[in-house]
Amino acid sequence: MHHLAWPSRCPKSSCGRMRMSCGLTFRSGKGHWIPNLSRQCSHGSVELFVPPSPPLDPEKVKELQRFITLSKRVLVMTGAGISTESGIPDYRSEKVGLYARTDRRPIQHSDFVRSAPIRQRYWARNFVGWPQFSSHQPNPAHWALNKWEKLGKLHWLVTQNVDALHTKAGSQRLTELHGCMHRVLCLDCGEQTPRGLLQERFKALNPHWSAEVHGLAPDGDVFLSEEQVQSFQVPACIRCGGPLKPDVVFFGDTVNPDKVDFVHRRVKEADALLVVGSSLQVYSGYRFVLTARDKKLPIAILNIGPTRSDDLACLKLNARCGQLLPLIDPH
């Protein structure tokens, strides 16, 4: 899940357009929105959300290379830190994460389920943020892990992210622990539909709707005032008329137990665990580190800043994921 809010760095929008952070503007054109992304701002946004890190230590690179070389079935678990280099901010990074920059907090599952007005506000904001959020592309770290999979080094990939960047990079031995923003779920009948189709339904129902954006979030959510969203029309499930929700685990919800059991089995089959870009503050990911510890698997952590499991790791690296992982030979 992710957020973006730097309107002061963007060129002012012209009349009839809606300005968004990092130069992304929207304008109504025959009932649909047209994104216009400023190249200068979009490049800068990639750097805005990556915490500062020390220069790569050649000895640490060699240690990670030894760790991977000695493993035949490495399980990799990724968090938001792998996607910051794709321009998607995280929540917890010091100075650059959403919690550090704003007082905004992610939506709670119970609030979304119980309240139609809260769902209306969420979907209005998500509708505006979707074109930018869905356009993010994998960075060298995602591509490196895909290469490891193709060469048989990666036993399984578990991601806490909902951005689909591993899928875009071609990863197939993959569990999306918290779901994926690119799918939509009906809360009543369970029907799954692609998020892109819902965007077209939003456009058809809201051909003249407009709002001023106050920043984008890690899960594609943007910040709008209550007044701006009251006229936004939200479609229901085509199959049963029930309320729609992104197919993700919101804060306060729990991961499907079958999915948890599946990942536990993959951890027990592995011979090493590598954590990439996660502080492991959320228990849904941290529990698998505990399983690896109980199985006496070697654990390595690549993350800028401290994590909840630094004391359990035989190797800790403070470096950019996209800078370090491509240097590792997976053979």
Side-chain angles (χ1 to χ4, degrees):
M1 293 179 278
H2 303 289
H3 295 238
L4 215 84
W6 299 93
S8 62
R9 297 190 179 211
C10 302
K12 289 190 176 180
S13 55
S14 59
C15 182
R17 295 183 181 180
M18 180 179 67
R19 188 179 64 181
M20 191 168 166
S21 59
C22 295
L24 185 63
T25 63
F26 288 73
R27 61 190 171 200
S28 181
K30 295 184 179 180
H32 58 272
W33 298 92
I34 306 170
N36 294 291
L37 184 59
S38 161
R39 181 169 297 183
Q40 179 181 1
C41 285
S42 68
H43 175 75
S45 72
V46 174
E47 301 300 315
L48 285 176
F49 309 112
V50 183
S53 59
L56 270 183
D57 180 348
E59 286 305 312
K60 287 286 189 180
V61 177
K62 290 179 182 177
E63 288 183 48
L64 181 58
Q65 179 65 68
R66 283 195 292 270
F67 180 91
I68 295 301
T69 299
L70 290 171
S71 171
K72 304 300 181 187
R73 300 183 308 280
V74 63
L75 185 137
V76 178
M77 182 164 64
T78 67
I82 197 175
S83 294
T84 54
E85 291 172 69
S86 291
I88 303 179
D90 63 13
Y91 285 111
R92 295 180 177 82
S93 287
E94 185 177 358
K95 297 182 181 178
V96 295
L98 184 78
Y99 291 164
R101 293 185 291 107
T102 77
D103 60 358
R104 304 283 182 171
R105 292 298 179 265
I107 192 166
Q108 297 291 314
H109 175 80
S110 59
D111 294 338
F112 187 95
V113 171
R114 70 173 172 79
S115 170
I118 286 177
R119 290 195 295 272
Q120 179 190 38
R121 183 175 77 237
Y122 177 86
W123 281 122
R125 290 154 46 153
N126 190 272
F127 165 66
V128 177
W130 179 251
Q132 182 173 357
F133 180 80
S134 61
S135 71
H136 288 294
Q137 295 301 313
N139 65 56
H142 298 97
W143 293 114
L145 293 176
N146 174 246
K147 179 181 179 182
W148 292 13
E149 178 182 319
K150 289 179 176 177
L151 293 174
K153 175 64 69 171
L154 185 143
H155 178 62
W156 205 261
L157 176 59
V158 180
T159 186
Q160 301 172 83
N161 300 336
V162 298
D163 52 32
L165 293 187
H166 285 300
T167 299
K168 289 182 179 181
S171 293
Q172 296 182 348
R173 298 179 67 83
L174 170 68
T175 295
E176 294 171 319
L177 194 61
H178 297 152
C180 182
M181 286 298 301
H182 288 250
R183 296 186 300 270
V184 176
L185 186 69
C186 174
L187 288 172
D188 286 350
C189 73
E191 177 83 353
Q192 277 192 357
T193 54
R195 175 63 181 81
L197 292 181
L198 181 60
Q199 191 74 357
E200 297 306 312
R201 297 182 67 198
F202 281 138
K203 292 175 185 177
L205 281 176
N206 300 277
H208 307 298
W209 186 85
S210 63
E212 178 72 20
V213 178
H214 302 299
L216 172 67
D219 57 358
D221 191 10
V222 300
F223 305 131
L224 304 175
S225 70
E226 291 296 328
E227 294 76 18
Q228 289 170 328
V229 305
Q230 287 178 354
S231 63
F232 187 75
Q233 300 297 308
V234 180
C237 173
I238 294 178
R239 182 176 168 187
C240 76
L244 300 175
K245 172 187 173 292
D247 188 14
V248 300
V249 178
F250 281 143
F251 281 75
D253 194 9
T254 56
V255 179
N256 181 291
D258 291 338
K259 185 180 289 188
V260 173
D261 290 342
F262 178 87
V263 174
H264 276 305
R265 291 197 297 271
R266 300 294 82 76
V267 174
K268 292 172 182 177
E269 293 166 356
D271 62 4
L273 171 65
L274 172 64
V275 177
V276 177
S278 176
S279 62
L280 299 168
Q281 292 302 313
V282 179
Y283 181 74
S284 62
Y286 175 66
R287 62 180 143 204
F288 300 118
V289 179
L290 299 180
T291 298
R293 178 203 61 187
D294 293 343
K295 295 292 292 182
K296 295 182 170 52
L297 301 184
I299 300 168
I301 299 176
L302 167 56
N303 187 68
I304 300 175
T307 81
R308 190 175 179 179
S309 298
D310 285 356
D311 60 328
L312 301 180
C314 63
L315 176 60
K316 170 66 195 302
L317 303 104
N318 278 285
R320 291 184 175 217
C321 307
Q323 186 180 22
L324 179 53
L325 290 185
L327 300 178
I328 304 302
D329 182 354
H331 289 90

